[in-house]
Amino acid sequence: MKHLIDQLEADHKLSKDEWIQLIQNRTPELSQYLFEKAQKVRIQHYGHDVYIRGLIEFTNYCKNDCYYCGIRRSNSNVRRYRLSKETILSCCKTGYALGFRTFVLQGGEDGYFQDDIMVDIVQSIRENYPDCAITLSIGECSHERYQKLFDAGANRFLLRHETFNAEHYSKLHPAKLSAKHRQDCLWDLKQIGFQVGSGFMVGSPYQTVENLAEDMLFLQNFNPHMVGVGPFIPHHDTPFKNHSAGTLELTLFMLGLIRLTLPKVLLPATTALGTIAPNGRELGILAGANVVMPNLSPEDVRKDYLLYDNKISTGSEAAESLKELEKRMESIGYHITINRGDSKNMTE
């Protein structure tokens, strides 16, 4: 299997059958070989820098009912909240003082935040922090809405494709949501000029090795600026509460593969990685990742933005403990850097 990793390092692509063969036949020895290659490529393009993003989870209302998500519409046990523009700007102020130069506004698909409200929020952040990047993660929108937000000053957009395979997608989402529409949104975002982040869950219910191979083929084709990959973790108030979580081992393997496929991509070591293993994010960095996303949300709402069980909401995940995160990164030979950290995978 090492020859397939060597081929991937050289050509940045594999066929579907080769992806299946490589993922299916992974071993601890092969994983170590992959991680060494992935680290080398990551250092070649980004050095030992780890970029930080200030995550602001500004609403946990959502119109959708995705079967895996803890803030799905049908979950009546969630304490719902919305942050005001003033609170969002206060989070940015705190983050800026700590050294954050990218703010990520993430929320459910909340009908309250109409175009005029979102445009005003984005414009206000842009005016107050002209040297910062503004990233949005607010789901599927019309081309027109995306354009308005881009014109208001947003630079980046995160929208995981979740799974490329339409049949698999339909097992994770209600019938009104489709894999094709989500992928169309990603192409819209790219056409408008956003730095676009895609990605998928590892170990989601009903996922096959073929599904993962198709996800990798999609990333090869779409060539995003960022890729967010994390393990599926069940939430106790969802239809998938009794399904097994994705594994740390497979998630790290997929991170390494993505680094070799897209050498210059921004690749987070996600909160979910840190949730399934105490040193999960460090292992993610050692597998080829180069971004971490501490939480800037007000402490009193962090526990309410619970997409999955046991999500980290204190300790090094909290922005106040950035020093601990810095120490964690330094312990593995990397360091947190204060800049916007734009993607070097600037594609047409």
Side-chain angles (χ1 to χ4, degrees):
M1 289 302 109
K2 286 184 179 178
H3 71 282
L4 287 178
I5 291 176
D6 293 340
Q7 183 182 326
L8 183 61
E9 183 184 26
D11 301 336
H12 313 305
K13 62 183 179 182
L14 295 173
S15 69
K16 183 175 178 179
D17 286 345
E18 287 169 335
W19 279 122
I20 292 170
Q21 192 181 358
L22 182 55
I23 296 166
Q24 246 175 0
N25 294 294
R26 67 190 187 279
T27 63
E29 181 192 10
L30 190 68
S31 294
Q32 196 52 48
Y33 185 73
L34 169 64
F35 299 153
E36 287 168 9
K37 295 273 189 185
Q39 268 201 79
K40 179 183 162 191
V41 169
R42 175 250 201 271
I43 292 167
Q44 178 186 341
H45 295 292
Y46 288 101
H48 289 80
D49 290 347
V50 176
Y51 298 134
I52 51 172
R53 314 303 198 204
L55 184 62
I56 303 170
E57 295 161 336
F58 69 99
T59 175
N60 70 348
Y61 285 86
C62 190
K63 69 179 184 181
N64 293 327
D65 232 359
C66 304
Y67 304 146
Y68 50 83
C69 184
I71 63 169
R72 64 197 303 262
R73 189 185 71 232
S74 293
N75 186 1
S76 58
N77 294 324
V78 179
R79 187 179 75 110
R80 304 287 177 175
Y81 73 90
R82 294 183 178 109
L83 300 185
S84 66
K85 182 176 86 167
E86 291 70 29
T87 301
I88 293 169
L89 288 171
S90 174
C91 294
C92 293
K93 184 177 180 181
T94 300
Y96 194 87
L98 285 166
F100 289 87
R101 295 298 177 266
T102 293
F103 302 120
V104 181
L105 269 61
Q106 182 175 333
E109 293 191 21
D110 182 355
Y112 170 81
F113 288 93
Q114 296 291 319
D115 290 1
D116 56 338
I117 296 176
M118 280 308 301
V119 163
D120 181 46
I121 290 169
V122 171
Q123 284 177 337
S124 298
I125 298 172
R126 174 57 58 228
E127 288 164 10
N128 282 279
Y129 303 99
D131 58 330
C132 293
I134 302 171
T135 303
L136 300 177
S137 181
I138 57 173
E140 298 177 22
C141 307
S142 67
H143 188 287
E144 180 187 24
R145 179 173 167 89
Y146 287 146
Q147 186 70 59
K148 285 179 182 177
L149 294 168
F150 183 77
D151 294 342
N155 312 90
R156 305 173 183 155
F157 205 104
L158 307 178
L159 184 71
R160 287 185 177 185
H161 68 271
E162 298 298 9
T163 177
F164 178 80
N165 183 277
E167 184 182 349
H168 184 221
Y169 195 93
S170 71
K171 293 178 179 178
L172 307 180
H173 303 86
K176 69 173 187 172
L177 299 177
S178 74
K180 182 183 184 305
H181 184 262
R182 200 160 182 91
Q183 291 157 27
D184 287 345
C185 286
L186 282 163
W187 288 106
D188 282 349
L189 288 160
K190 204 174 191 190
Q191 183 267 319
I192 286 167
F194 279 98
Q195 291 182 41
V196 186
S198 186
F200 53 90
M201 288 185 290
V202 177
S204 58
Y206 315 113
Q207 186 180 68
T208 64
V209 175
E210 287 78 9
N211 294 153
L212 287 171
E214 289 173 346
D215 288 327
M216 294 305 297
L217 290 172
F218 174 70
L219 293 180
Q220 278 177 206
N221 182 38
F222 183 64
N223 197 16
H225 305 88
M226 306 169 275
V227 179
V229 172
F232 163 75
I233 303 175
H235 186 289
H236 62 280
D237 281 327
T238 69
F240 291 156
K241 62 184 178 183
N242 294 321
H243 283 258
S244 300
T247 65
L248 175 71
E249 176 268 325
L250 180 54
T251 304
L252 294 173
F253 194 78
M254 299 310 297
L255 283 173
L257 295 180
I258 292 165
R259 174 57 67 200
L260 294 189
T261 307
L262 303 166
K264 297 181 182 180
V265 83
L266 291 171
L267 192 59
T270 62
T271 303
L273 264 182
T275 297
I276 62 171
N279 63 339
R281 279 178 296 189
E282 290 94 316
L283 293 173
I285 298 293
L286 293 173
N290 64 333
V291 175
V292 289
M293 298 173 67
N295 203 326
L296 285 174
S297 307
E299 281 193 80
D300 62 339
V301 301
R302 287 180 195 166
K303 64 185 180 301
D304 297 318
Y305 200 87
L306 202 64
L307 306 184
Y308 47 82
D309 284 347
N310 304 313
K311 180 185 165 192
I312 304 169
S313 60
T314 57
S316 61
E317 174 57 17
E320 301 80 48
S321 298
L322 194 55
K323 290 292 180 197
E324 184 193 336
L325 194 56
E326 288 173 345
K327 285 179 186 172
R328 282 170 168 253
M329 293 301 116
E330 285 165 8
S331 74
I332 57 170
Y334 289 82
H335 52 259
I336 285 172
T337 183
I338 296 179
N339 64 45
R340 280 170 43 126
D342 285 299
S343 178
K344 295 183 179 181
N345 198 40
M346 300 302 285
T347 57
E348 291 298 324

